[in-house]
Amino acid sequence: MPRLRKAVRAATITLLGATLPAITNSKRVQGADAQRTLNLVGEIMDSRCAIDGSHDKIMRENGMKNAKDCTLQCAKTGGSFVLIDPDTKTVYQLDDQRKPEKFAGQRVRISGTYDEPSKTMHIESIESAE
């Protein structure tokens, strides 16, 4: 009987040893999938106007004449720069708030790494798409 217990114990340890690396590896794969490279075209907008998908309301309320002025003003007063995809109405948070400033209210092409859990785009490059 003690010999059988040792055999069962050895088999269990071997089984666990084989299973644990597989579980660890699956977590690594999921982590890699959480970040992917994206090339997007959209408008640099402020987070406040992005909720409505338009600058119209804020521009009317504050007497602003264009999307650039609206985006810059909203970003200064507590909003942040985001990228909005006009086709899908998807809003992408941007990790760098300096690079998009000069493109406020403009259509741009952004390349970078997108982090799914935080819904944030790490900007590698940004250029005008106009």
Side-chain angles (χ1 to χ4, degrees), residues 78-105:
S80 61
F81 293 111
V82 299
L83 178 78
I84 186 165
D85 180 333
D87 297 332
T88 64
K89 305 295 184 215
T90 303
V91 176
Y92 297 89
Q93 302 301 317
L94 302 173
D95 70 335
D96 185 331
Q97 292 293 294
R98 290 185 182 174
K99 287 180 185 176
E101 185 173 6
K102 68 180 179 180
F103 298 101

PDB file of all heavy atoms in Angstrom, residues 78-105:
ATOM      1  N   GLY A  78     -10.217  70.812 -18.340  1.00  0.00           N
ATOM      2  CA  GLY A  78     -10.510  69.536 -17.694  1.00  0.00           C
ATOM      3  C   GLY A  78     -10.737  68.357 -18.616  1.00  0.00           C
ATOM      4  O   GLY A  78     -10.803  67.230 -18.150  1.00  0.00           O
ATOM      5  N   GLY A  79     -10.863  68.601 -19.892  1.00  0.00           N
ATOM      6  CA  GLY A  79     -11.007  67.490 -20.833  1.00  0.00           C
ATOM      7  C   GLY A  79      -9.639  66.956 -21.214  1.00  0.00           C
ATOM      8  O   GLY A  79      -8.611  67.463 -20.780  1.00  0.00           O
ATOM      9  N   SER A  80      -9.630  65.928 -22.026  1.00  0.00           N
ATOM     10  CA  SER A  80      -8.365  65.392 -22.528  1.00  0.00           C
ATOM     11  C   SER A  80      -8.509  65.143 -24.020  1.00  0.00           C
ATOM     12  O   SER A  80      -9.617  65.031 -24.540  1.00  0.00           O
ATOM     13  CB  SER A  80      -7.999  64.102 -21.788  1.00  0.00           C
ATOM     14  OG  SER A  80      -8.996  63.123 -21.993  1.00  0.00           O
ATOM     15  N   PHE A  81      -7.384  65.056 -24.702  1.00  0.00           N
ATOM     16  CA  PHE A  81      -7.398  64.771 -26.131  1.00  0.00           C
ATOM     17  C   PHE A  81      -7.683  63.285 -26.338  1.00  0.00           C
ATOM     18  O   PHE A  81      -7.099  62.432 -25.665  1.00  0.00           O
ATOM     19  CB  PHE A  81      -6.059  65.129 -26.781  1.00  0.00           C
ATOM     20  CG  PHE A  81      -5.761  66.598 -26.782  1.00  0.00           C
ATOM     21  CD1 PHE A  81      -4.750  67.104 -25.990  1.00  0.00           C
ATOM     22  CD2 PHE A  81      -6.498  67.476 -27.563  1.00  0.00           C
ATOM     23  CE1 PHE A  81      -4.466  68.466 -25.977  1.00  0.00           C
ATOM     24  CE2 PHE A  81      -6.225  68.840 -27.559  1.00  0.00           C
ATOM     25  CZ  PHE A  81      -5.213  69.332 -26.758  1.00  0.00           C
ATOM     26  N   VAL A  82      -8.590  63.010 -27.259  1.00  0.00           N
ATOM     27  CA  VAL A  82      -8.933  61.641 -27.628  1.00  0.00           C
ATOM     28  C   VAL A  82      -8.980  61.561 -29.144  1.00  0.00           C
ATOM     29  O   VAL A  82      -9.001  62.585 -29.835  1.00  0.00           O
ATOM     30  CB  VAL A  82     -10.310  61.205 -27.038  1.00  0.00           C
ATOM     31  CG1 VAL A  82     -10.297  61.242 -25.526  1.00  0.00           C
ATOM     32  CG2 VAL A  82     -11.445  62.059 -27.582  1.00  0.00           C
ATOM     33  N   LEU A  83      -9.014  60.348 -29.644  1.00  0.00           N
ATOM     34  CA  LEU A  83      -9.229  60.129 -31.075  1.00  0.00           C
ATOM     35  C   LEU A  83     -10.600  59.512 -31.224  1.00  0.00           C
ATOM     36  O   LEU A  83     -10.936  58.566 -30.512  1.00  0.00           O
ATOM     37  CB  LEU A  83      -8.174  59.171 -31.645  1.00  0.00           C
ATOM     38  CG  LEU A  83      -8.368  58.857 -33.131  1.00  0.00           C
ATOM     39  CD1 LEU A  83      -7.869  60.013 -33.991  1.00  0.00           C
ATOM     40  CD2 LEU A  83      -7.665  57.580 -33.515  1.00  0.00           C
ATOM     41  N   ILE A  84     -11.409  60.059 -32.118  1.00  0.00           N
ATOM     42  CA  ILE A  84     -12.714  59.482 -32.372  1.00  0.00           C
ATOM     43  C   ILE A  84     -12.755  58.987 -33.810  1.00  0.00           C
ATOM     44  O   ILE A  84     -12.359  59.694 -34.734  1.00  0.00           O
ATOM     45  CB  ILE A  84     -13.870  60.469 -32.068  1.00  0.00           C
ATOM     46  CG1 ILE A  84     -15.224  59.761 -32.208  1.00  0.00           C
ATOM     47  CG2 ILE A  84     -13.781  61.703 -32.918  1.00  0.00           C
ATOM     48  CD1 ILE A  84     -16.380  60.521 -31.592  1.00  0.00           C
ATOM     49  N   ASP A  85     -13.178  57.750 -33.960  1.00  0.00           N
ATOM     50  CA  ASP A  85     -13.362  57.157 -35.284  1.00  0.00           C
ATOM     51  C   ASP A  85     -14.785  57.498 -35.704  1.00  0.00           C
ATOM     52  O   ASP A  85     -15.750  57.007 -35.111  1.00  0.00           O
ATOM     53  CB  ASP A  85     -13.169  55.646 -35.210  1.00  0.00           C
ATOM     54  CG  ASP A  85     -13.339  54.955 -36.548  1.00  0.00           C
ATOM     55  OD1 ASP A  85     -14.076  55.475 -37.423  1.00  0.00           O
ATOM     56  OD2 ASP A  85     -12.757  53.875 -36.729  1.00  0.00           O
ATOM     57  N   PRO A  86     -14.955  58.364 -36.711  1.00  0.00           N
ATOM     58  CA  PRO A  86     -16.300  58.817 -37.077  1.00  0.00           C
ATOM     59  C   PRO A  86     -17.186  57.699 -37.644  1.00  0.00           C
ATOM     60  O   PRO A  86     -18.404  57.770 -37.526  1.00  0.00           O
ATOM     61  CB  PRO A  86     -16.044  59.899 -38.123  1.00  0.00           C
ATOM     62  CG  PRO A  86     -14.689  59.619 -38.661  1.00  0.00           C
ATOM     63  CD  PRO A  86     -13.923  58.944 -37.564  1.00  0.00           C
ATOM     64  N   ASP A  87     -16.584  56.688 -38.238  1.00  0.00           N
ATOM     65  CA  ASP A  87     -17.374  55.595 -38.816  1.00  0.00           C
ATOM     66  C   ASP A  87     -17.984  54.694 -37.746  1.00  0.00           C
ATOM     67  O   ASP A  87     -19.153  54.327 -37.825  1.00  0.00           O
ATOM     68  CB  ASP A  87     -16.521  54.752 -39.770  1.00  0.00           C
ATOM     69  CG  ASP A  87     -16.022  55.570 -40.959  1.00  0.00           C
ATOM     70  OD1 ASP A  87     -16.703  56.550 -41.352  1.00  0.00           O
ATOM     71  OD2 ASP A  87     -14.942  55.242 -41.475  1.00  0.00           O
ATOM     72  N   THR A  88     -17.190  54.338 -36.752  1.00  0.00           N
ATOM     73  CA  THR A  88     -17.655  53.417 -35.708  1.00  0.00           C
ATOM     74  C   THR A  88     -18.090  54.141 -34.439  1.00  0.00           C
ATOM     75  O   THR A  88     -18.616  53.514 -33.531  1.00  0.00           O
ATOM     76  CB  THR A  88     -16.551  52.409 -35.337  1.00  0.00           C
ATOM     77  OG1 THR A  88     -15.455  53.129 -34.769  1.00  0.00           O
ATOM     78  CG2 THR A  88     -16.092  51.614 -36.538  1.00  0.00           C
ATOM     79  N   LYS A  89     -17.826  55.448 -34.363  1.00  0.00           N
ATOM     80  CA  LYS A  89     -18.103  56.257 -33.169  1.00  0.00           C
ATOM     81  C   LYS A  89     -17.324  55.763 -31.948  1.00  0.00           C
ATOM     82  O   LYS A  89     -17.716  55.974 -30.815  1.00  0.00           O
ATOM     83  CB  LYS A  89     -19.604  56.291 -32.845  1.00  0.00           C
ATOM     84  CG  LYS A  89     -20.485  56.756 -33.967  1.00  0.00           C
ATOM     85  CD  LYS A  89     -20.229  58.194 -34.310  1.00  0.00           C
ATOM     86  CE  LYS A  89     -21.216  58.648 -35.372  1.00  0.00           C
ATOM     87  NZ  LYS A  89     -20.665  59.570 -36.302  1.00  0.00           N
ATOM     88  N   THR A  90     -16.191  55.107 -32.201  1.00  0.00           N
ATOM     89  CA  THR A  90     -15.338  54.609 -31.129  1.00  0.00           C
ATOM     90  C   THR A  90     -14.407  55.719 -30.673  1.00  0.00           C
ATOM     91  O   THR A  90     -13.811  56.418 -31.490  1.00  0.00           O
ATOM     92  CB  THR A  90     -14.508  53.406 -31.608  1.00  0.00           C
ATOM     93  OG1 THR A  90     -15.397  52.402 -32.092  1.00  0.00           O
ATOM     94  CG2 THR A  90     -13.664  52.832 -30.490  1.00  0.00           C
ATOM     95  N   VAL A  91     -14.281  55.883 -29.362  1.00  0.00           N
ATOM     96  CA  VAL A  91     -13.400  56.887 -28.774  1.00  0.00           C
ATOM     97  C   VAL A  91     -12.191  56.171 -28.182  1.00  0.00           C
ATOM     98  O   VAL A  91     -12.340  55.232 -27.417  1.00  0.00           O
ATOM     99  CB  VAL A  91     -14.126  57.695 -27.677  1.00  0.00           C
ATOM    100  CG1 VAL A  91     -13.174  58.680 -27.009  1.00  0.00           C
ATOM    101  CG2 VAL A  91     -15.326  58.421 -28.260  1.00  0.00           C
ATOM    102  N   TYR A  92     -11.009  56.625 -28.563  1.00  0.00           N
ATOM    103  CA  TYR A  92      -9.760  56.059 -28.072  1.00  0.00           C
ATOM    104  C   TYR A  92      -9.078  57.067 -27.162  1.00  0.00           C
ATOM    105  O   TYR A  92      -8.794  58.193 -27.588  1.00  0.00           O
ATOM    106  CB  TYR A  92      -8.821  55.716 -29.236  1.00  0.00           C
ATOM    107  CG  TYR A  92      -9.374  54.660 -30.155  1.00  0.00           C
ATOM    108  CD1 TYR A  92     -10.165  55.006 -31.254  1.00  0.00           C
ATOM    109  CD2 TYR A  92      -9.116  53.318 -29.930  1.00  0.00           C
ATOM    110  CE1 TYR A  92     -10.681  54.030 -32.095  1.00  0.00           C
ATOM    111  CE2 TYR A  92      -9.624  52.333 -30.770  1.00  0.00           C
ATOM    112  CZ  TYR A  92     -10.413  52.699 -31.849  1.00  0.00           C
ATOM    113  OH  TYR A  92     -10.920  51.727 -32.680  1.00  0.00           O
ATOM    114  N   GLN A  93      -8.827  56.679 -25.915  1.00  0.00           N
ATOM    115  CA  GLN A  93      -8.061  57.516 -25.001  1.00  0.00           C
ATOM    116  C   GLN A  93      -6.621  57.548 -25.510  1.00  0.00           C
ATOM    117  O   GLN A  93      -6.131  56.552 -26.030  1.00  0.00           O
ATOM    118  CB  GLN A  93      -8.099  56.935 -23.582  1.00  0.00           C
ATOM    119  CG  GLN A  93      -9.486  56.776 -23.006  1.00  0.00           C
ATOM    120  CD  GLN A  93     -10.251  58.091 -22.933  1.00  0.00           C
ATOM    121  OE1 GLN A  93      -9.709  59.124 -22.546  1.00  0.00           O
ATOM    122  NE2 GLN A  93     -11.512  58.059 -23.321  1.00  0.00           N
ATOM    123  N   LEU A  94      -5.948  58.657 -25.357  1.00  0.00           N
ATOM    124  CA  LEU A  94      -4.563  58.802 -25.815  1.00  0.00           C
ATOM    125  C   LEU A  94      -3.657  59.011 -24.613  1.00  0.00           C
ATOM    126  O   LEU A  94      -3.932  59.863 -23.767  1.00  0.00           O
ATOM    127  CB  LEU A  94      -4.448  59.973 -26.785  1.00  0.00           C
ATOM    128  CG  LEU A  94      -5.343  59.883 -28.023  1.00  0.00           C
ATOM    129  CD1 LEU A  94      -5.267  61.173 -28.831  1.00  0.00           C
ATOM    130  CD2 LEU A  94      -4.975  58.680 -28.870  1.00  0.00           C
ATOM    131  N   ASP A  95      -2.582  58.237 -24.545  1.00  0.00           N
ATOM    132  CA  ASP A  95      -1.691  58.327 -23.386  1.00  0.00           C
ATOM    133  C   ASP A  95      -0.858  59.600 -23.393  1.00  0.00           C
ATOM    134  O   ASP A  95      -0.560  60.153 -22.354  1.00  0.00           O
ATOM    135  CB  ASP A  95      -0.788  57.097 -23.280  1.00  0.00           C
ATOM    136  CG  ASP A  95       0.265  57.034 -24.375  1.00  0.00           C
ATOM    137  OD1 ASP A  95       0.053  57.614 -25.460  1.00  0.00           O
ATOM    138  OD2 ASP A  95       1.308  56.397 -24.159  1.00  0.00           O
ATOM    139  N   ASP A  96      -0.503  60.097 -24.546  1.00  0.00           N
ATOM    140  CA  ASP A  96       0.321  61.303 -24.672  1.00  0.00           C
ATOM    141  C   ASP A  96      -0.613  62.471 -24.980  1.00  0.00           C
ATOM    142  O   ASP A  96      -1.315  62.470 -25.995  1.00  0.00           O
ATOM    143  CB  ASP A  96       1.338  61.113 -25.796  1.00  0.00           C
ATOM    144  CG  ASP A  96       2.320  62.260 -25.911  1.00  0.00           C
ATOM    145  OD1 ASP A  96       1.976  63.403 -25.563  1.00  0.00           O
ATOM    146  OD2 ASP A  96       3.452  62.001 -26.361  1.00  0.00           O
ATOM    147  N   GLN A  97      -0.628  63.470 -24.133  1.00  0.00           N
ATOM    148  CA  GLN A  97      -1.510  64.615 -24.334  1.00  0.00           C
ATOM    149  C   GLN A  97      -0.811  65.800 -24.997  1.00  0.00           C
ATOM    150  O   GLN A  97      -1.443  66.808 -25.272  1.00  0.00           O
ATOM    151  CB  GLN A  97      -2.116  65.039 -22.982  1.00  0.00           C
ATOM    152  CG  GLN A  97      -3.090  64.020 -22.422  1.00  0.00           C
ATOM    153  CD  GLN A  97      -4.338  63.912 -23.273  1.00  0.00           C
ATOM    154  OE1 GLN A  97      -5.122  64.853 -23.363  1.00  0.00           O
ATOM    155  NE2 GLN A  97      -4.533  62.773 -23.920  1.00  0.00           N
ATOM    156  N   ARG A  98       0.475  65.665 -25.288  1.00  0.00           N
ATOM    157  CA  ARG A  98       1.202  66.755 -25.965  1.00  0.00           C
ATOM    158  C   ARG A  98       1.182  66.591 -27.476  1.00  0.00           C
ATOM    159  O   ARG A  98       0.990  67.552 -28.204  1.00  0.00           O
ATOM    160  CB  ARG A  98       2.635  66.821 -25.463  1.00  0.00           C
ATOM    161  CG  ARG A  98       2.710  67.301 -24.036  1.00  0.00           C
ATOM    162  CD  ARG A  98       4.119  67.470 -23.587  1.00  0.00           C
ATOM    163  NE  ARG A  98       4.125  67.886 -22.185  1.00  0.00           N
ATOM    164  CZ  ARG A  98       5.191  68.016 -21.475  1.00  0.00           C
ATOM    165  NH1 ARG A  98       6.373  67.761 -21.991  1.00  0.00           N
ATOM    166  NH2 ARG A  98       5.107  68.396 -20.213  1.00  0.00           N
ATOM    167  N   LYS A  99       1.426  65.375 -27.957  1.00  0.00           N
ATOM    168  CA  LYS A  99       1.497  65.141 -29.403  1.00  0.00           C
ATOM    169  C   LYS A  99       0.213  65.529 -30.131  1.00  0.00           C
ATOM    170  O   LYS A  99       0.270  66.147 -31.190  1.00  0.00           O
ATOM    171  CB  LYS A  99       1.835  63.675 -29.698  1.00  0.00           C
ATOM    172  CG  LYS A  99       3.272  63.300 -29.403  1.00  0.00           C
ATOM    173  CD  LYS A  99       3.522  61.831 -29.717  1.00  0.00           C
ATOM    174  CE  LYS A  99       4.921  61.403 -29.320  1.00  0.00           C
ATOM    175  NZ  LYS A  99       5.133  59.962 -29.531  1.00  0.00           N
ATOM    176  N   PRO A 100      -0.959  65.197 -29.623  1.00  0.00           N
ATOM    177  CA  PRO A 100      -2.173  65.521 -30.387  1.00  0.00           C
ATOM    178  C   PRO A 100      -2.589  66.985 -30.327  1.00  0.00           C
ATOM    179  O   PRO A 100      -3.425  67.415 -31.123  1.00  0.00           O
ATOM    180  CB  PRO A 100      -3.242  64.628 -29.755  1.00  0.00           C
ATOM    181  CG  PRO A 100      -2.746  64.265 -28.420  1.00  0.00           C
ATOM    182  CD  PRO A 100      -1.255  64.328 -28.482  1.00  0.00           C
ATOM    183  N   GLU A 101      -2.003  67.766 -29.440  1.00  0.00           N
ATOM    184  CA  GLU A 101      -2.433  69.162 -29.272  1.00  0.00           C
ATOM    185  C   GLU A 101      -2.376  69.956 -30.573  1.00  0.00           C
ATOM    186  O   GLU A 101      -3.304  70.697 -30.904  1.00  0.00           O
ATOM    187  CB  GLU A 101      -1.595  69.852 -28.195  1.00  0.00           C
ATOM    188  CG  GLU A 101      -2.065  71.261 -27.898  1.00  0.00           C
ATOM    189  CD  GLU A 101      -1.341  71.889 -26.721  1.00  0.00           C
ATOM    190  OE1 GLU A 101      -0.392  71.285 -26.191  1.00  0.00           O
ATOM    191  OE2 GLU A 101      -1.739  73.004 -26.333  1.00  0.00           O
ATOM    192  N   LYS A 102      -1.302  69.801 -31.339  1.00  0.00           N
ATOM    193  CA  LYS A 102      -1.183  70.601 -32.570  1.00  0.00           C
ATOM    194  C   LYS A 102      -2.137  70.116 -33.669  1.00  0.00           C
ATOM    195  O   LYS A 102      -2.302  70.778 -34.681  1.00  0.00           O
ATOM    196  CB  LYS A 102       0.260  70.628 -33.067  1.00  0.00           C
ATOM    197  CG  LYS A 102       0.794  69.324 -33.585  1.00  0.00           C
ATOM    198  CD  LYS A 102       2.241  69.498 -34.040  1.00  0.00           C
ATOM    199  CE  LYS A 102       2.829  68.199 -34.543  1.00  0.00           C
ATOM    200  NZ  LYS A 102       4.201  68.359 -34.969  1.00  0.00           N
ATOM    201  N   PHE A 103      -2.795  68.976 -33.457  1.00  0.00           N
ATOM    202  CA  PHE A 103      -3.757  68.451 -34.414  1.00  0.00           C
ATOM    203  C   PHE A 103      -5.202  68.600 -33.926  1.00  0.00           C
ATOM    204  O   PHE A 103      -6.110  67.973 -34.464  1.00  0.00           O
ATOM    205  CB  PHE A 103      -3.474  66.965 -34.685  1.00  0.00           C
ATOM    206  CG  PHE A 103      -2.121  66.713 -35.287  1.00  0.00           C
ATOM    207  CD1 PHE A 103      -1.074  66.261 -34.502  1.00  0.00           C
ATOM    208  CD2 PHE A 103      -1.884  66.928 -36.637  1.00  0.00           C
ATOM    209  CE1 PHE A 103       0.183  66.013 -35.034  1.00  0.00           C
ATOM    210  CE2 PHE A 103      -0.630  66.693 -37.187  1.00  0.00           C
ATOM    211  CZ  PHE A 103       0.401  66.241 -36.389  1.00  0.00           C
ATOM    212  N   ALA A 104      -5.419  69.422 -32.909  1.00  0.00           N
ATOM    213  CA  ALA A 104      -6.746  69.599 -32.315  1.00  0.00           C
ATOM    214  C   ALA A 104      -7.794  69.913 -33.378  1.00  0.00           C
ATOM    215  O   ALA A 104      -7.608  70.806 -34.196  1.00  0.00           O
ATOM    216  CB  ALA A 104      -6.706  70.705 -31.269  1.00  0.00           C
ATOM    217  N   GLY A 105      -8.878  69.148 -33.371  1.00  0.00           N
ATOM    218  CA  GLY A 105      -9.980  69.365 -34.308  1.00  0.00           C
ATOM    219  C   GLY A 105      -9.718  68.889 -35.721  1.00  0.00           C
ATOM    220  O   GLY A 105     -10.547  69.076 -36.599  1.00  0.00           O
TER     221      GLY A 105
END
